[in-house]
Amino acid sequence: QVQLQESGPGLVKPSETLSLTCTVSGGSINYYYWSWIRQPPGKGLEWIGYIYYTGNTRHNPSLKSRVTFSVNTSRNQFSLKLSSVTAADTAVYYCARDRNTDDAFDIWGQGTMVTVSS
Amino acid sequence: DIQMTQSPSSLSASVGDRVTITCQASQDITNYLNWYQQKPGKAPKLLIYDASNLETGVPLRFSGSGSGTDFTFTISSLQPEDIATYYCQQYGNLPLTFGGGTKVEIK
């Protein structure tokens, strides 16, 4: 079955760039949208944006232009970069498969905690 | 952005009770609504899609209904393993947005 695994630093300094990668195993990255979702400690879920396997992207305007997505179909991976981070970006970051027909997130990674601190 | 208002924010019920959670959208989203269950320390799990369709493998005690701006999620008979936070999520418009969550506890 398809599984997702996030990877990346757990600690990022303020004003620097957060970089995470999600590896898709057990299936192909093709023909799906792949989302990033985050959850600050003790709070709710926020959709960051998604990337299609072709490279088309959409992001949440709340993050302005700080977000960059990329996809590597040969490695079955997609990535997130969030620039100019502050303490408000401290959260668990999830990658998830977006089922195109209903924008339902049917497969999730386990999540990775990223703390922004000097 | 479409705002999703969930209520209540928390509830306490006994095993076997019927539990109902509501989700209201700030504008008409037809049936473009999904429901998730999140247990502590875990990723959310999809339960209901398109407002009322049960995801494969999800117990029949879970159900959803509604359309337009008002939606309901129901657990027909609360079980101890249902202790979790439940979220609605709309896909009527981008950005995709979630409700604030409802924490369900056992009385």
Side-chain angles (χ1 to χ4, degrees):
Chain A
Q1 70 280 22
V2 177
Q3 293 184 312
L4 307 182
Q5 178 67 59
E6 305 90 349
S7 59
L11 181 64
V12 181
K13 290 183 168 55
S15 79
E16 295 190 345
T17 296
L18 178 161
S19 297
L20 296 173
T21 294
C22 184
T23 300
V24 181
S25 59
S28 173
I29 201 169
N30 292 342
Y31 308 116
Y32 285 97
Y33 286 87
W34 300 92
S35 276
W36 289 96
I37 296 158
R38 69 181 183 179
Q39 185 171 36
K43 295 189 178 181
L45 300 162
E46 179 183 31
W47 179 72
I48 298 170
Y50 59 43
I51 185 165
Y52 196 46
Y53 76 103
T54 57
N56 291 341
T57 64
R58 293 294 296 270
H59 69 273
N60 193 325
S62 68
L63 294 162
K64 296 182 171 61
S65 57
R66 297 196 294 134
V67 174
T68 305
F69 302 112
S70 61
V71 62
N72 186 326
T73 54
S74 61
R75 291 190 171 187
N76 247 22
Q77 293 178 330
F78 60 102
S79 298
L80 163 71
K81 290 188 187 298
L82 180 65
S83 64
S84 305
V85 296
T86 69
D89 295 310
T90 294
V92 175
Y93 285 76
Y94 295 100
C95 57
R97 188 176 79 173
D98 182 325
R99 200 164 62 190
N100 302 1
T101 52
D102 49 24
D103 273 326
F105 304 113
D106 63 343
I107 300 174
W108 296 66
Q110 64 184 25
T112 187
M113 180 69 200
V114 178
T115 301
V116 178
S117 175
S118 56
Chain B
D1 297 6
I2 297 177
Q3 308 302 318
M4 305 301 295
T5 303
Q6 260 184 263
S7 61
S9 57
S10 66
L11 65 89
S12 182
S14 300
V15 172
D17 281 355
R18 184 181 185 87
V19 168
T20 299
I21 298 168
T22 64
C23 185
Q24 185 170 59
S26 59
Q27 64 188 73
D28 190 337
I29 57 170
T30 61
N31 68 328
Y32 296 159
L33 185 96
N34 304 316
W35 289 95
Y36 300 84
Q37 174 193 65
Q38 185 179 34
K39 296 185 177 181
K42 299 294 187 182
K45 174 187 175 183
L46 176 65
L47 299 181
I48 303 283
Y49 63 95
D50 290 347
S52 60
N53 294 310
L54 199 64
E55 180 71 353
T56 302
V58 173
L60 294 176
R61 64 180 180 274
F62 296 103
S63 65
S65 64
S67 66
T69 60
D70 295 303
F71 301 87
T72 300
F73 172 82
T74 300
I75 307 172
S76 60
S77 177
L78 186 67
Q79 300 302 303
E81 60 266 32
D82 300 335
I83 300 314
T85 300
Y86 294 84
Y87 293 94
C88 59
Q89 173 242 325
Q90 68 79 25
Y91 63 99
N93 268 328
L94 294 180
L96 306 177
T97 50
F98 293 86
T102 297
K103 186 174 184 179
V104 175
E105 298 175 320
I106 295 285
K107 192 181 293 184

